Amino acid sequence: MAGAVGRRELLSLYKRLLRSASTYPSKNREGIYTSIRDEFRENACMSSGSPEAQKKIDYAHEGLIQLRRFDGSDAAKYEYTMK
């Protein structure tokens, strides 16, 4: 799964996804964690630079954003007001 993204950046994305999944407030937390791990393993041999690889990397970034909405790591980015 290495396209325009280097191996180091890809491993960093993988680690961030696993960390966010491990703190995700859900009964299916382990399933999400396993899914991420399996998806990366299945695509480890994907040809670098392919459009499919870039699509999967973009999808992983979107997933990370979704996970972080609920794990508390991005809480400082949101402003809450009481009306």
Side-chain angles (χ1 to χ4, degrees), residues 55-75:
K55 183 186 269 188
K56 290 189 177 281
I57 292 167
D58 293 341
Y59 184 71
H61 279 288
E62 290 173 16
L64 180 61
I65 291 168
Q66 290 177 357
L67 285 170
R68 286 192 167 176
R69 284 187 186 143
F70 299 100
D71 74 356
S73 63
D74 279 349

Side-chain angles (χ1 to χ4, degrees), residues 1-82:
M1 266 180 68
V5 177
R7 181 176 171 84
R8 181 172 289 188
E9 292 86 4
L10 197 53
L11 289 174
S12 173
L13 173 62
Y14 177 66
K15 287 179 184 179
R16 288 182 290 161
L17 278 164
L18 291 178
R19 281 188 199 117
S20 291
S22 69
T23 60
Y24 187 73
S26 172
K27 291 180 181 180
N28 191 28
R29 181 181 321 155
E30 188 62 36
I32 294 168
Y33 189 91
T34 302
S35 240
I36 293 166
R37 190 181 62 224
D38 292 346
E39 184 86 18
F40 269 81
R41 286 181 180 170
E42 287 172 13
N43 296 305
C45 295
M46 187 173 282
S47 64
S48 63
S50 73
E52 186 179 348
Q54 189 58 46
K55 183 186 269 188
K56 290 189 177 281
I57 292 167
D58 293 341
Y59 184 71
H61 279 288
E62 290 173 16
L64 180 61
I65 291 168
Q66 290 177 357
L67 285 170
R68 286 192 167 176
R69 284 187 186 143
F70 299 100
D71 74 356
S73 63
D74 279 349
K77 292 184 180 179
Y78 300 103
E79 184 177 312
Y80 302 98
T81 59
M82 301 286 288

